[in-house]
Amino acid sequence: MEVLNVKNIQEIYQAENGEISALKNISFTAQKGELISIVGPSGCGKSTLLSILAGLLKPTGGEVYVKGEKVNGVSPHIGYMMQKDSLLDWRNIYKNVMFGLEVRGMMQPEYRERAEKLLKTYGLYEFKDKYPSQLSGGMRQRVALIRTLAINPDILLLDEAFSALDYQTRLTVTDDVYRILKQEQVTTIMVTHDIPESISMGDKVLIFSQRPAEIKEVLEIDFEDPDRTPISCRNNPKFSRYFDHIWRELSANE
Ligand code: ADP
């Protein structure tokens, strides 16, 4: 089932010293449960696109449809996770997860139960009374993800969500997150500057050009392994071929 349809998006910022064209002719679709990575040179327009998908920024041209409905303003059905986990230090884990529901006015029992189930399924329930400062960076990121998934979003947007973590933690967390997203069949759009991360998580990688960003290529990632995980696929012989390909495409920009 098609969850996201991005049609011919264009964004031109009005800056003090003239116009800055950030996005040009961006079109793609995402199916239910699909994870699409986006890589591109820094400053090309990736975060701009996520802001448009989240309904935070109105595009200069084009439309975004989520489950057939045009995005028009901030949608409660889109989850957004950024680099900083933005957990509230004065609330315990349980109350942090519930906060995501509170701010959206989604305190109905079905959502609260969903949140509790997610905490239990993903090994965080026993930490529910702890405070964010008592958890490791990796666990905090998992809590932030559960908080975002509690609202049962149609689409999850990840903007460099793991880049603040140290390398080792990042590998473990992306493995965890991948399993959760696939198990819950969450449609995800992930922006990253890390080429290996884009391959190891993605079903597809969209390679963006320099600003104004256009989609240079849609690279299908297929390891022919139904049990792939971000860590296991790094040993797949296709991994380095995908890496070289993306590396070359991105270097060709310079
Ligand atoms: P990326 O996420 O790929 O690093 P961004 O989407 O953050 O890129 O930014 C794309 C371009 O648009 C950059 O050149 C940036 O300076 C410019 N830009 C971003 N936000 C604004 C804004 N509010 N006003 C003017 N220019 C902006």
Side-chain angles (χ1 to χ4, degrees):
M1 184 186 71
E2 184 180 284
V3 176
L4 175 69
N5 187 350
V6 177
K7 273 189 168 166
N8 212 9
I9 288 292
Q10 216 193 84
E11 184 62 38
I12 299 170
Y13 287 113
Q14 303 296 333
E16 269 175 25
N17 41 1
E19 294 186 334
I20 295 178
S21 177
L23 299 169
K24 206 173 146 187
N25 302 329
I26 303 285
S27 297
F28 65 95
T29 59
Q31 304 295 316
K32 171 83 180 154
E34 198 172 22
L35 199 156
I36 297 185
S37 315
I38 298 178
V39 293
S42 129
C44 75
K46 301 181 292 298
S47 300
T48 300
L49 178 64
L50 289 194
S51 299
I52 291 172
L53 299 186
L56 296 165
L57 180 68
K58 199 171 163 1
T60 316
E63 293 109 39
V64 176
Y65 294 88
V66 174
K67 285 188 162 172
E69 259 181 55
K70 190 170 164 181
V71 171
N72 205 347
V74 180
S75 160
H77 299 293
I78 296 191
Y80 204 163
M81 232 176 98
M82 299 184 218
Q83 190 174 342
K84 208 176 158 306
D85 60 41
S86 64
L87 296 180
L88 305 171
D89 287 333
W90 61 91
R91 284 188 158 218
N92 66 22
I93 297 312
Y94 184 83
K95 288 189 170 164
N96 257 290
V97 169
M98 292 302 163
F99 184 71
L101 298 177
E102 279 171 44
V103 290
R104 288 177 159 87
M106 295 167 82
M107 289 305 279
Q108 298 89 328
E110 78 248 38
Y111 287 108
R112 296 172 70 107
E113 279 162 25
R114 180 181 160 80
E116 288 198 11
K117 186 159 171 266
L118 286 165
L119 280 169
K120 286 179 186 152
T121 309
Y122 298 110
L124 290 167
Y125 198 72
E126 60 187 290
F127 300 97
K128 69 179 173 37
D129 299 323
K130 298 246 185 276
Y131 286 83
S133 62
Q134 298 173 290
L135 302 188
S136 65
M139 277 179 82
R140 292 172 58 117
Q141 208 59 355
R142 251 200 291 163
V143 173
L145 178 68
I146 299 298
R147 182 180 63 183
T148 312
L149 296 186
I151 64 163
N152 199 10
D154 292 322
I155 299 189
L156 173 68
L157 306 174
L158 298 176
D159 194 356
E160 301 281 6
F162 314 112
S163 51
L165 303 171
D166 66 75
Y167 182 70
Q168 196 70 28
T169 308
R170 187 151 130 197
L171 285 184
T172 324
V173 171
T174 48
D175 224 54
D176 275 357
V177 166
Y178 180 86
R179 283 173 216 267
I180 297 174
L181 297 181
K182 288 298 171 185
Q183 198 158 327
E184 302 292 325
Q185 281 286 293
V186 185
T187 311
T188 306
I189 310 297
M190 176 178 93
V191 162
T192 177
H193 68 270
D194 185 304
I195 302 176
E197 193 168 281
S198 74
I199 303 165
S200 68
M201 301 276 285
D203 295 305
K204 280 181 194 155
V205 179
L206 308 188
I207 306 174
F208 276 19
S209 71
Q210 264 181 332
R211 190 170 64 77
E214 286 184 275
I215 299 179
K216 280 184 90 175
E217 189 182 337
V218 178
L219 184 66
E220 300 273 348
I221 306 292
D222 184 5
F223 289 109
E224 295 158 54
D225 173 7
D227 300 322
R228 74 177 261 200
T229 69
I231 290 177
S232 77
C233 72
R234 287 178 190 242
N235 297 319
N236 190 302
K238 283 178 124 181
F239 193 89
S240 57
R241 269 184 267 150
Y242 288 135
F243 180 92
D244 289 344
H245 182 85
I246 298 173
W247 177 261
R248 259 200 310 274
E249 285 292 323
L250 291 178
S251 316
N253 278 317
E254 286 158 8

